[in-house]
Amino acid sequence: DIQMTQSPSTLSASVGDRVTITCRASQSITNWLAWYQQKPGRAPQLLIYGASTLQSGVPSRFSGSGSGTEFTLTISSLQPDDFATYYCQQYDSHPATFGQGTKLEIK
Amino acid sequence: QVTLRESGPALVKPSQTLTLTCSFSGFSLSTNGIFVTWIRQPPGKALEWLAHIDWDGEKDYSPSLKRRLTISKDTSKNQVALTMTNMDPVDTATYFCARISRTPLGDSYHYFFDYWGQGTLVTVSS
């Protein structure tokens, strides 16, 4: 299985901050990567697919980049609604696998 | 409007078989490029893909759980079922169903989970 490793595991930030979350794959996944946001007690919501394509309806302050084995999710100016846990997921090869998550907390 | 909803028992005993149902609307599982998947999340832990079934009835399973899982669909009822045998306390988790809609991007297709159900918590305990 392809291992997905996110860093950091926890990130403390303030409203208005620019934050970046990193996701590394154990082997090249080209751009077969998605990012999801999950709030407590809720299902994950798709933010980005194809490493950098914003899902319809997702605010433009979210962006994704990267290819191969290293990817980033950036939130340009944190809003109160953005404090949540973020997961990356590869769909390059079977089985699909997720990172362990990055919890974004209010500083 | 695409919606998915999981249903099933909240509590099962060790060694029992779990059966979950995903009821969906807003799309058809007979449409080319559509999959319905099952994903689980133990409390406080990460997400784990379990199985999927596609528009053509093709099925795929997590290699580590393949022997215990069966996925099936009833297209006329817009439902997908997942059975997991020999349940153990480590299988305690929230179980989600989610949709994949094969999406063209550049010169290839992408397969990601675009809609999810709200999840159902299954506890395995005697």
Side-chain angles (χ1 to χ4, degrees):
Chain A
D1 297 5
I2 295 178
Q3 305 302 313
M4 305 300 291
T5 304
Q6 290 182 231
S7 61
S9 296
T10 306
L11 180 57
S12 296
S14 302
V15 172
D17 284 353
R18 178 185 180 90
V19 298
T20 297
I21 298 168
T22 298
C23 177
R24 289 186 173 86
S26 60
Q27 64 189 69
S28 178
I29 58 170
T30 315
N31 68 336
W32 308 93
L33 183 102
W35 289 96
Y36 302 88
Q37 177 195 69
Q38 186 179 32
K39 296 179 180 177
R42 305 283 297 275
Q45 285 197 298
L46 175 67
L47 298 174
I48 286 168
Y49 62 91
S52 60
T53 301
L54 206 62
Q55 171 71 342
S56 176
V58 173
S60 59
R61 62 181 179 273
F62 291 91
S63 64
S65 65
S67 66
T69 62
E70 187 155 336
F71 303 86
T72 59
L73 173 70
T74 299
I75 309 172
S76 60
S77 178
L78 274 174
Q79 299 302 300
D81 192 48
D82 300 337
F83 293 95
T85 299
Y86 293 84
Y87 292 94
C88 60
Q89 175 241 330
Q90 68 81 20
Y91 49 91
D92 173 86
S93 62
H94 173 73
T97 49
F98 293 84
Q100 82 281 13
T102 295
K103 186 175 182 180
L104 182 52
E105 298 180 329
I106 300 174
K107 185 184 285 185
Chain B
Q1 181 189 2
V2 171
T3 65
L4 302 99
R5 185 179 66 196
E6 306 85 353
S7 59
L11 179 66
V12 296
K13 290 179 167 43
S15 80
Q16 286 187 336
T17 294
L18 170 69
T19 298
L20 297 171
T21 300
C22 176
S23 302
F24 55 87
S25 63
F27 66 96
S28 171
L29 192 42
S30 60
T31 299
N32 196 303
I34 296 293
F35 301 68
V36 171
T37 71
W38 285 95
I39 295 160
R40 71 179 179 179
Q41 185 173 38
K45 296 189 177 180
L47 299 151
E48 178 185 17
W49 176 83
L50 300 177
H52 72 226
I53 188 164
D54 73 13
W55 72 96
D56 210 24
E58 292 294 314
K59 307 167 188 178
D60 208 354
Y61 299 98
S62 167
S64 62
L65 293 168
K66 186 173 184 176
R67 291 182 299 124
R68 299 173 53 206
L69 295 174
T70 303
I71 193 169
S72 60
K73 65 172 180 170
D74 186 329
T75 304
S76 65
K77 291 184 178 179
N78 282 348
Q79 290 182 335
V80 169
L82 181 76
T83 62
M84 180 180 289
T85 61
N86 194 25
M87 293 292 285
D88 184 271
V90 300
D91 296 314
T92 294
T94 296
Y95 287 75
F96 298 97
C97 61
R99 187 187 83 156
I100 293 173
S101 178
R102 186 178 64 189
T103 300
L105 182 64
D107 59 357
S108 57
Y109 285 109
H110 287 243
Y111 301 80
F112 46 85
F113 311 115
D114 60 352
Y115 289 93
W116 298 62
Q118 84 278 9
T120 185
L121 176 62
V122 177
T123 301
V124 184
S125 175
S126 55

